[in-house]
Amino acid sequence: MWYSITMLKAYRYRLYPTEEQAVFLNRQFGSVRYVHNWALALATTTYQTQGQGITRFQLDKRLTALKQELPWLGEVASQPLQQALVHLDKAFTRFFREKKGYPHFHSKRGKQSATYPQGVKIHWENDVIYLPKAGWIRTVFSRRFVGTVKTVTVSRAPSGKFFASVLVEDENQVPDAVPETGERAVGGDLGLHDFMVLSTGEKYRHPQWLERELYRLKILQRRLAKTTKGSKNRAKLRRQIARLHERVANRRQDFLHKLSTDLVRRFDTICIEDLNVAGMVGNHALARRIAQSGWAEFRRQLEYKATWSGKHVRVIGRFAPSSRLCPCGYYNRLLTLADRQWDCPDCGRHHDRDILAANNIKRFAFAKHLTGRDTPGEPGECPLVDERRKP
Ligand SMILES: [Zn+2]
């Protein structure tokens, strides 16, 4: 009935270091960055002169020598420095094997971090985390976890806030998947007009605050563009923008979690479209980007939550604009983005375009599940587009 799987889960906590600890953490980040850039330069030269990369083993040995030369590297915790080499090694592997981009140098400007593979201690009752050489740092454990800690990554966001991200390996009991009947299935149409419209007719609006925050963001960015490089005002605006980004991200995450949890609880199968949705011309680029990243995150949440509770997520490709196809087989070629509703001239059905799309997504997802094809071939169940009927 139940089987167990190991899962990696990340828990993120805000850290409240003392001023002294903050100074130390910044030095730790600086040392990690230094080692990363040093190793990247070394690997690049080796590659250019000898035609081959440098091994982890060689890098480890060189790091030991480097620490003799630069005593200040010995004043911070050493594990994050070694971990920087592990990360770089992985980046090179991705570059060579998966043809991903060449690893790049880390700048003072970007996100600063240090990863501890071990040596971190947690004291739940006192709300403190121990980091080697930095000591016990105050935090607030919003939620506890069970399982084995794999790594702890401490970082400073551009807003200046410190965080600890704890990667935990947890053995979980997962129920057997429930059978798919179609009765407890739902289709969902993701869009810019509403975040999601369900085949049941329910509509989930984009959070009210989103537009307001985006507007504020635009204003701040415009102001930033007018400041001079290196000025105090520019730095201040940067921080404000970073804080706003953070707030938007947190609240959005909240919204997505609520919705995905709710759907997985209510339905056995959730059908959605692939998220590279076209047909969003005329919308502001920023809004589109944010919506798109929201959908990707939403799908990720849906999928893992479904797995945990033995439910299903079915994703179909975007093979036909689903808001145009009436269940009777009529295909509305003239539908524009501005038309929210339409009437089928063949069968007289009245359609809300998004609810229709959600229902079609559900039908097609099930047909794909049964036939293994993206275009369903069951005339009675899912009629194909009839060429002759196109106006
Ligand atoms: Zn019709």
Side-chain angles (χ1 to χ4, degrees):
M1 284 309 227
W2 294 72
Y3 63 103
S4 72
I5 50 171
T6 34
M7 277 181 292
L8 282 177
K9 273 182 87 177
Y11 295 83
R12 194 160 171 264
Y13 305 110
R14 171 105 184 257
L15 295 179
Y16 301 91
T18 63
E19 208 150 307
E20 209 177 323
Q21 286 171 331
V23 169
F24 180 82
L25 285 177
N26 284 333
R27 268 172 59 204
Q28 180 79 58
F29 298 149
S31 303
V32 167
R33 196 175 63 236
Y34 183 89
V35 168
H36 169 88
N37 289 343
W38 160 81
L40 177 55
L42 196 64
T44 306
T45 335
T46 314
Y47 183 60
Q48 282 165 347
T49 54
Q50 299 170 17
Q52 58 181 29
I54 192 164
T55 64
R56 259 289 306 288
F57 179 67
Q58 286 171 311
L59 274 177
D60 275 333
K61 264 173 55 186
R62 298 287 285 269
L63 178 61
T64 311
L66 184 74
K67 275 155 95 180
Q68 304 288 322
E69 281 170 50
L70 308 170
W72 51 270
L73 278 181
E75 288 165 19
V76 296
S78 65
Q79 292 162 348
L81 305 184
Q82 275 149 12
Q83 206 61 27
L85 300 183
V86 175
H87 287 163
L88 183 65
D89 196 49
K90 281 189 188 151
F92 268 113
T93 307
R94 277 197 297 274
F95 169 70
F96 286 119
R97 291 214 193 116
E98 298 161 31
K99 306 277 173 254
K100 293 280 161 65
Y102 196 79
H104 54 263
F105 289 103
H106 289 172
S107 91
K108 241 177 160 166
R109 184 70 72 56
K111 184 179 156 188
Q112 306 296 313
S113 70
T115 299
Y116 300 76
Q118 52 200 285
V120 176
K121 286 176 234 163
I122 283 169
H123 201 299
W124 297 117
E125 282 74 30
N126 290 2
D127 273 324
V128 281
I129 288 186
Y130 177 85
L131 298 176
K133 290 206 176 175
W136 291 98
I137 297 178
R138 207 164 65 77
T139 180
V140 174
F141 291 117
S142 37
R143 29 179 208 156
R144 294 189 182 191
F145 57 80
V146 280
T148 325
V149 174
K150 300 299 285 179
T151 58
V152 177
T153 299
V154 175
S155 63
R156 193 186 74 225
S159 63
K161 291 178 189 163
F162 289 86
F163 294 94
S165 180
V166 185
L167 198 62
V168 180
E169 195 179 62
D170 186 15
E171 191 147 300
N172 263 44
Q173 298 289 306
V174 170
D176 274 339
V178 297
E180 288 184 271
T181 58
E183 271 165 43
R184 278 171 54 83
V186 74
D189 181 47
L190 295 159
L192 282 175
H193 197 260
D194 288 293
F195 178 81
M196 194 182 207
V197 173
L198 300 185
S199 50
T200 56
E202 290 157 273
K203 296 186 172 185
Y204 292 89
R205 302 230 36 181
H206 281 280
Q208 295 273 315
W209 47 266
L210 189 63
E211 221 159 296
R212 200 172 56 232
E213 303 276 42
L214 287 179
Y215 179 72
R216 249 185 77 69
L217 199 58
K218 232 177 358 189
I219 291 177
L220 287 177
Q221 273 165 344
R222 213 172 289 155
R223 261 192 234 157
L224 180 74
K226 285 181 192 156
T227 57
T228 39
K229 267 194 182 149
S231 70
K232 264 195 176 162
N233 202 14
R234 192 181 179 85
K236 192 178 141 201
L237 272 166
R238 258 187 207 292
R239 268 200 309 278
Q240 278 181 342
I241 289 175
R243 267 204 302 272
L244 190 58
H245 266 300
E246 222 172 76
R247 197 163 64 224
V248 170
N250 287 341
R251 296 180 70 178
R252 197 195 63 183
Q253 201 69 358
D254 230 50
F255 165 76
L256 297 178
H257 271 303
K258 275 190 193 124
L259 184 53
S260 56
T261 301
D262 187 44
L263 289 180
V264 170
R265 200 175 289 149
R266 286 172 57 199
F267 302 100
D268 288 349
T269 304
I270 298 137
C271 309
I272 52 171
E273 255 181 328
D274 201 355
L275 302 162
N276 298 315
V277 183
M280 297 200 298
V281 222
N283 286 293
H284 196 271
L286 184 64
R288 188 166 63 228
R289 218 169 53 230
I290 290 192
Q292 252 158 358
S293 69
W295 297 331
E297 170 62 14
F298 182 68
R299 176 174 166 183
R300 190 188 71 80
Q301 292 180 5
L302 263 187
E303 283 176 338
Y304 83 72
K305 287 176 185 176
T307 309
W308 289 0
S309 41
K311 304 288 182 81
H312 311 268
V313 174
R314 302 229 159 261
V315 181
I316 57 163
R318 196 185 170 85
F319 57 92
S322 37
S323 51
R324 293 165 182 250
L325 185 62
C326 179
C328 78
Y330 177 82
Y331 182 85
N332 186 345
R333 247 185 131 188
L334 300 174
L335 194 75
T336 68
L337 266 178
D339 302 327
R340 309 305 312 170
Q341 323 227 328
W342 61 280
D343 291 306
C344 176
D346 269 17
C347 69
R349 279 191 184 90
H350 179 73
H351 294 302
D352 171 296
R353 69 174 294 147
D354 297 329
I355 299 175
L356 175 64
N359 274 290
N360 277 332
I361 288 166
K362 178 179 154 186
R363 281 199 302 147
F364 292 142
F366 263 88
K368 185 188 174 185
H369 172 48
L370 294 174
T371 63
R373 278 176 296 142
D374 243 347
T375 317
E378 298 283 324
E381 180 63 11
C382 303
L384 287 168
V385 178
D386 188 342
E387 286 297 321
R388 286 161 307 171
R389 282 180 162 164
K390 284 182 185 174

